[in-house]
Amino acid sequence: MSAERGGSIYATYIKDQLSDQNSRKDSIEKRGIAVITTSGTLASLLFGLAAVLTGVQHYHLPAAAESWLFAAMIAFVVGAIGGIATNLPLFYIGVRPSELQGAVKNRWRDSVEDAEQRVAATQVKVLGRAKMLNTIKGFVLLGAISAEVAAVIFLSVAIGIVLHG
């Protein structure tokens, strides 16, 4: 039977989990930027369509289409705001340099097991906070994408009314 303990296995697992959360954060933020970009592009097309239609002499936008266009504009704005919100620098936690200095000064001669346990406990604390904040950002991203999908639907209905109205 081996005298080894599971500490190194747990330490590696915790480190991997923390790395996964950092990757998840980056992924959510990149997708948030994509929502901002597509919302901006589609909103620009919406306003371009409105400019073309209102610039035509004697053209009157059907009243039914106006409310759908307005709803699309609001939904694009909500989607863009959600995309921006996914990139807010929330209060992620990390280890302060003073804490590391204290460890170097006061704990340098700790046993391997004690050091692994202290590091793992700190990483679990950081992981818990990262996971919670990433979940919040994920829900914000889901809302932003949902708003963008709604905006595309509203815009499609408006265009359908204009074309067939």
Side-chain angles (χ1 to χ4, degrees):
M1 186 190 265
S2 173
E4 260 187 70
R5 300 193 182 220
S8 62
I9 294 170
Y10 292 129
T12 300
Y13 181 70
I14 293 165
K15 188 176 181 180
D16 290 346
Q17 291 297 305
L18 191 54
S19 177
D20 289 349
Q21 285 304 311
N22 287 333
S23 296
R24 182 177 176 215
K25 176 184 175 283
D26 292 343
S27 174
I28 290 169
E29 290 174 354
K30 286 177 186 173
R31 286 183 280 174
I33 290 171
V35 170
I36 296 166
T37 303
T38 55
S39 285
T41 300
L42 293 170
S44 296
L45 291 172
L46 170 66
F47 286 114
L49 172 66
V52 167
L53 293 177
T54 57
V56 175
Q57 285 186 351
H58 306 295
Y59 178 80
H60 295 285
L61 186 66
E66 287 179 16
S67 60
W68 288 103
L69 286 174
F70 184 75
M73 180 189 68
I74 296 297
F76 279 130
V77 169
V78 168
I81 290 170
I84 291 167
T86 63
N87 285 278
L88 288 174
L90 298 180
F91 299 103
Y92 287 84
I93 59 174
V95 180
R96 292 188 299 265
S98 62
E99 292 170 332
L100 293 175
Q101 286 173 339
V104 168
K105 184 177 179 183
N106 302 319
R107 303 227 171 257
W108 197 254
R109 296 197 187 276
D110 281 358
S111 69
V112 171
E113 291 83 13
D114 287 346
E116 283 179 340
Q117 187 174 20
R118 286 182 184 280
V119 168
T122 301
Q123 288 176 328
V124 167
K125 182 179 172 184
V126 171
L127 172 63
R129 180 71 175 202
K131 193 167 187 137
M132 178 192 70
L133 294 175
N134 286 342
T135 298
I136 292 168
K137 283 187 173 196
F139 282 123
V140 171
L141 178 63
L142 179 62
I145 291 171
S146 298
E148 192 172 69
V149 167
V152 169
I153 291 168
F154 298 156
L155 182 57
S156 297
V157 171
I159 291 171
I161 291 169
V162 168
L163 295 176
H164 297 292

